Amino acid sequence: MGTTTAVPRIGRRLVQTVLVVAIFGKLMVGAAAVPARIRIGGIFAHENKIEEEAFKFAVMYVNEMMPELLPRTRIDYVINRTILLPEFAGIQAVCHQARSGVVAIVGPGTSSGVKFSNAVCSGLHIPHIAPTATDPTLANREFFPYLLRMSAPDSVQSRALVDLVTHFGWTHMAILTSSDDYGIHGLVEFQAIAARKKWGIVSVQQFQTGNDVSIVNATSQLKYIVGTGVRVVILNCLAQHATRVLQQAEHLGMTRKGWAWVVTDGVTTKNTTHLTSPVPSYLQGLIGTDPDIAQGTLLREVRQVWENADRSRFPHAGEFEVESNFGQFFDAVLAIAHALDNIFRDGHHIEEEKLECCEEKRPWKYGKLVLEYLKKVEEDGVMRRLRFSGRGHPNNPSYGIMNLLCSGWKKVGSWSEDTRLIMHNPVRFMGGADSVVDYVSDLMNRTLKVVTIEEPPFIFYSEKDEHGRPRKGNDRFYGFCKDMMEHFSKHLGFKYEMYMVEDENFGARDPVTGKWNGMVRDLVVKKADVAAASFTISYEREQDIDFTKPYIDIGLTFVLSNKIEKEDRPFKFLDVFEPNLWLSILLSTLAVSFFISLVNKLSPSGYHGHFVQEEEPTLLAEEEKPAEIKEKKKEMVQMMSLNNALYFAVASLLFQGGDILPKSGPGRITASLWWLVTVIIVATYTANLAAFLTVSRMDTDINSVEDLVSQKLVQYGTVQNSQPLSFFESSSIHTFETMARYMKVHSTLTMSSRAGIEKARDERYAFIWDSAVLDYVVKQPPCNLRTVGRLFGKIGFGFGLQKGSAYTDAFSIAILQARESGYLDKLKEKWFGGPCGGADLELERSDFTWHAFTETLESLGGSDTCRKVRDRYTGECHDQNSATTVTNDKMDVSKLLGVFYIIYVGMAVSVVVLVVEWVVACMMAVDQTDPEAPKTFLEAFRKRLAILERDMEENWFPTLAKRRRKQQELKDSVKKRSFSRSSSRSADFKNSRSAGSLKINGNLPDTVIDTSTKV
């Protein structure tokens, strides 16, 4: 019994000992895997003390104030200082820290610096945290795979700015940014949303930045903004740059009452080091967005420790607010500490590794592990709870709306994705104003001199009204441009006096003196402030005057009289189809003829094939009369010969039908599809012929600029010293160069557009002018003109102003507003109508109507002409009564390509059916009981093939067969003659031998001797 109880006790003790040793060994191994020290890196700008001290303070706080975090590991740091906007210096800093063996890098503070630094970090697989970089492009995980951000991207801030601008009802503004990545990309989303809302971003300006803030100069950009008339400026740059820019704005009067400056987080979150108390007057009234992130549970505790920190270690302890960028850098270090702690607690092992940038070496093998644990961190922080989204930035960002007063920044509202904008307090703008008007015109209460020129429908001039009463002042003028001036006068607050240009010219430069005439001269000599008319914007004119944005986009076209005689051509009816389409129809007709004739010979069910393959062998076997068989065979062979098949195809095309129809299955399939094709072709031709002949009554053979140049019946020209003439003279296109030479050599230029229009009405003359004017003219009585061809030389009409005029931008903005609001469209409807329409021309009546044949064309898809035509300005479709251009485009093969597909696919199907017929015929011919019938399918096929071969030789090519028979007969006759000669020689030889033998024997008769002697 003693022995049996001792064994279990010994076993239990042994097991307990092994377990203790194993657990102790595992703990020892785990303790050995956790490093005693680990390094992290920090990159900071030289002048930015707040970020560097926040980084150092966070490392101290984790090592000394949070013993439960990394209990067996102490964090050391490696710091590099760079210039404000680092490029190569930032890359060098990362390489230095990589050689030091850091496991993660924090900083720098700018988006530009982060981009350069992360290029190296991603290559070496070192996790990189950017506490304050907000450039939206940093969210691209493909380009920045090892980057995490502590701040939301600027695209979120842009949405907050949009809501803020909407709250104040502003629709016009200017944007001023720094030229670095932060400035350029920070408001991209804002501009996109503004465009969708149709806000007027009058100007987007950028100023250069550098390491030395004192050299920043945005004076020229600010002056331009002042000239636009906007009073709301969105400023996106860093605080040190913003202070410099606003100092310069103060000298231009842009920080007084009536101005609003909206700034971004680059100013609001870094203000402490760049503001003095009290706040300078040129800064008071700023309003902007500040990341609303001081919500972490550690905020109060960290603030208390910071305020009581040892100044020997932290010289600026208590001076910086924890709620600023300080907290962002603190949370970055805290996130790294939590990630490392979780790695060690999960039993993972990492080792520091000194990496070289310039050597081909594998990246840090633990980098991906550290990055994954950083993304999983979810702990309490100073600014917010530490948690990263899938795109590498904090979740649920929010912003405070800040207003800078004399005492500092004051929170007046808040914004988040969920609640949007909520304002808590009123805002004080620049100069203490409670509100700001976004746009103020410098034209207010001014009187402008406006020069114009008569050009219906843009400007009409009349000294008397419809009742004969005299008109005075601006009442003498009316039209499209006059209504525009009235509209702008009311909205911009100016008065104007309109007068006619003395020499009735728009403006052209004298090639000898270099001086301008017309309206351009009045602007150059400052006689007029504005030129309001159908004034073409051109490069040459813009060298000496300014133009507004175009109020209408047009081009050049020409008008012709409807009564110009045309050259008659007897075969004009063929012009309906292009030559390639006629050729395709001809080839298809020949192809169908040949194919139907071929399958008639090959098919066992065709006239020819059935008789030769089925009936003729049976009749011969029954010993019928050969003459009757031959006569019937001749009849069957001719039933669908090539001649008859061609006649059938042509007759079908002409809707007449043939005398003989195909009998075989493949032939019937082909014929049926050919009938379908002919119906489509004939219907299309008929409809297009009707349209073509009708349009021919409306025009000559001139349907384009190219047609105009290539003919000699009609002269053409434009107004001398005009912009259209300058277009032709300066063009490098051969057609336009030819036209310019023609107009000069033949003296076809007119003195005015009115003279050119009258000449086009009365003579064989094509007048080239602005399409808007000519479209109006053709709609006016006596309705005997029409525009021809498409637009060329695309141009625009605008208002002209003096060079460097302060009013140019104001008028341009007013024009854009008028276009976007639909006001100009209403003016077009008012002034561009008329009693004449494109389809109401004085034409000779025919037996059909325009509506009928256009409806037919639409149903067939055979013509581009339809009851609606496309507007050349807007691309919209309008009723044909408003059209001024009609074309007679020819049909080409591409528009009927499907028809030819039908017939050729049908032929392919017929070939398949033909093969099936042969197979069935061969199977039906097999008969095991009939001694003369084929016993197998292969034997039947060979027999039928032999019949076909003999038939091809006798009936397909009879001339060739006849020639072969003659040759064979000749060979046979030659053989017979040679055979008869050889036979006679053989007989003579035998006779001579017999005679000799008789003579020797002495028994030869006399007669034989005599005979032999004769021979």
Side-chain angles (χ1 to χ4, degrees), residues 146-429:
Y146 278 78
L147 177 65
L148 297 175
R149 291 167 292 151
M150 305 300 297
S151 300
D154 287 330
S155 56
V156 179
Q157 179 178 228
S158 290
R159 294 195 285 272
L161 289 172
V162 167
D163 288 352
L164 182 62
V165 170
T166 304
H167 172 77
F168 292 113
W170 298 328
T171 57
H172 293 84
M173 63 215 70
I175 293 177
L176 181 61
T177 72
S178 55
S179 59
D180 53 21
D181 286 340
Y182 174 77
I184 294 173
H185 299 141
L187 296 178
V188 171
E189 181 72 9
F190 178 87
Q191 295 180 62
I193 298 175
R196 292 196 294 269
K197 288 180 172 287
K198 296 184 178 180
W199 288 352
I201 299 181
V202 178
S203 177
V204 178
Q205 298 289 320
Q206 296 175 0
F207 59 87
Q208 295 295 323
T209 58
N211 300 324
D212 187 358
V213 178
S214 62
I215 66 172
V216 172
N217 188 355
T219 303
S220 60
Q221 290 85 351
L222 293 170
K223 286 182 178 179
Y224 185 86
I225 292 174
V226 171
T228 62
V230 294
R231 292 297 180 263
V232 177
V233 184
I234 313 295
L235 179 61
N236 187 44
C237 61
L238 301 181
Q240 52 269 40
H241 300 147
T243 304
R244 179 74 175 171
V245 169
L246 288 166
Q247 284 177 346
Q248 297 164 3
E250 182 186 25
H251 297 311
L252 298 175
M254 299 176 68
T255 58
R256 296 197 301 258
K257 188 175 181 178
W259 284 84
W261 286 81
V262 182
V263 296
T264 57
D265 58 357
V267 179
T268 57
T269 60
K270 298 185 178 184
N271 59 82
T272 308
T273 58
H274 298 280
L275 292 180
T276 59
S277 185
V279 176
S281 60
Y282 60 85
L283 297 178
Q284 295 179 25
L286 295 181
I287 184 172
T289 52
D290 180 26
D292 198 3
I293 50 181
Q295 303 171 356
T297 56
L298 297 180
L299 176 61
R300 182 176 301 177
E301 179 183 344
V302 171
R303 180 194 290 132
Q304 184 178 359
V305 175
W306 169 245
E307 292 175 352
N308 298 321
D310 184 1
R311 287 185 174 269
S312 62
R313 299 176 62 184
F314 306 103
H316 299 89
E319 294 181 8
F320 305 140
E321 294 182 6
V322 175
E323 293 88 341
S324 62
N325 290 347
F326 183 99
Q328 298 283 64
F329 277 82
F330 188 98
D331 281 349
V333 175
L334 198 59
I336 295 173
H338 280 295
L340 294 174
D341 185 62
N342 293 334
I343 290 174
F344 297 148
R345 290 182 185 276
D346 290 348
H348 294 291
H349 171 67
I350 64 172
E351 296 178 356
E352 293 181 351
E353 184 177 355
K354 296 181 179 181
L355 304 174
E356 290 291 340
C357 294
C358 301
E359 296 180 2
E360 293 186 4
K361 190 175 183 180
R362 290 186 304 172
W364 188 38
K365 60 182 178 181
Y366 299 108
K368 187 174 182 180
L369 175 67
V370 176
L371 179 66
E372 293 301 321
Y373 270 85
L374 275 170
K375 292 179 180 179
K376 296 176 183 178
V377 168
E378 189 169 348
E379 301 288 344
D380 292 331
V382 173
M383 307 303 284
R384 63 166 65 88
R385 185 164 180 80
L386 302 177
R387 183 190 301 130
F388 297 97
S389 69
R391 299 180 68 87
H393 62 74
N395 277 320
N396 303 320
S398 60
Y399 289 86
I401 307 302
M402 311 299 294
N403 190 195
L404 184 57
L405 306 177
C406 61
S407 58
W409 288 102
K410 178 184 177 181
K411 186 174 181 179
V412 295
S414 60
W415 182 93
S416 68
E417 292 277 12
D418 298 329
T419 64
R420 310 304 291 186
L421 179 67
I422 299 176
M423 298 298 292
H424 309 301
N425 298 297
V427 176
R428 288 283 186 178
F429 295 104

Side-chain angles (χ1 to χ4, degrees), residues 505-726:
N505 282 316
F506 286 91
R509 189 196 297 272
D510 190 296
V512 179
T513 63
K515 294 182 178 181
W516 290 94
N517 63 9
M519 294 191 298
V520 178
R521 180 189 60 192
D522 286 11
L523 292 173
V524 171
V525 300
K526 303 188 183 304
K527 179 180 178 180
D529 298 303
V530 181
S534 52
F535 205 13
T536 305
I537 301 171
S538 69
Y539 171 78
E540 185 180 15
R541 289 172 178 170
E542 206 159 11
Q543 303 305 306
D544 293 302
I545 64 174
D546 286 344
F547 276 104
T548 63
K549 298 293 183 182
Y551 62 81
I552 188 171
D553 298 313
I554 60 169
L556 296 178
T557 187
F558 60 95
V559 289
L560 285 172
S561 173
N562 296 322
K563 299 180 179 179
I564 294 179
E565 298 178 358
K566 306 176 290 294
E567 179 185 359
D568 293 329
R569 291 186 290 111
F571 295 100
K572 190 173 182 178
F573 65 90
L574 295 176
D575 292 343
V576 178
F577 286 174
E578 289 283 359
N580 60 0
L581 182 55
W582 283 118
L583 180 61
S584 299
I585 294 173
L586 176 61
L587 294 177
S588 298
T589 304
L590 295 176
V592 169
S593 305
F594 176 79
F595 186 79
I596 291 178
S597 176
L598 180 65
V599 297
N600 177 63
K601 293 178 173 63
L602 295 177
S603 174
S605 60
Y607 294 111
H608 184 128
H610 180 72
F611 181 82
V612 171
Q613 299 176 30
E614 305 290 344
E615 293 186 28
E616 186 179 22
T618 304
L619 294 175
L620 292 175
E622 295 175 357
E623 297 181 354
E624 292 287 340
K625 297 179 179 180
E628 295 180 356
I629 297 176
K630 186 176 181 180
E631 186 66 24
K632 188 173 184 180
K633 181 177 181 180
K634 183 179 180 181
E635 180 183 355
M636 290 298 103
V637 167
Q638 294 296 325
M639 285 296 286
M640 192 55 74
S641 63
L642 182 60
N643 294 336
N644 288 332
L646 180 60
Y647 175 75
F648 166 78
V650 174
S652 298
L653 187 62
L654 300 177
F655 280 9
Q656 299 302 314
D659 297 334
I660 304 172
L661 299 180
K663 179 182 178 182
S664 65
R668 288 179 175 180
I669 292 174
T670 306
S672 299
L673 293 177
W674 179 241
W675 287 335
L676 174 62
V677 169
T678 57
V679 168
I680 297 174
I681 292 175
V682 173
T684 303
Y685 177 80
T686 304
N688 279 271
L689 180 62
F692 194 83
L693 294 179
T694 301
V695 173
S696 297
R697 293 186 179 96
M698 287 189 280
D699 62 5
T700 62
D701 294 331
I702 302 173
N703 298 302
S704 65
V705 176
E706 291 74 16
D707 292 342
L708 186 63
V709 175
S710 61
Q711 57 80 46
K712 297 180 180 180
L713 179 66
V714 178
Q715 291 186 324
Y716 53 87
T718 185
V719 177
Q720 63 181 2
N721 298 328
S722 64
Q723 179 56 35
L725 180 60
S726 299

Side-chain angles (χ1 to χ4, degrees), residues 866-871 874-880 882:
C866 66
R867 285 173 294 168
K868 290 188 175 182
V869 294
R870 193 161 299 279
D871 184 9
T874 64
E876 299 175 352
C877 210
H878 301 290
D879 289 341
Q880 53 115 0
S882 66

Side-chain angles (χ1 to χ4, degrees), residues 127-148:
H128 184 196
I129 297 182
T132 57
T134 57
D135 191 329
T137 59
L138 296 175
N140 192 322
R141 307 306 300 167
E142 182 180 353
F143 294 136
F144 306 100
Y146 278 78
L147 177 65
L148 297 175

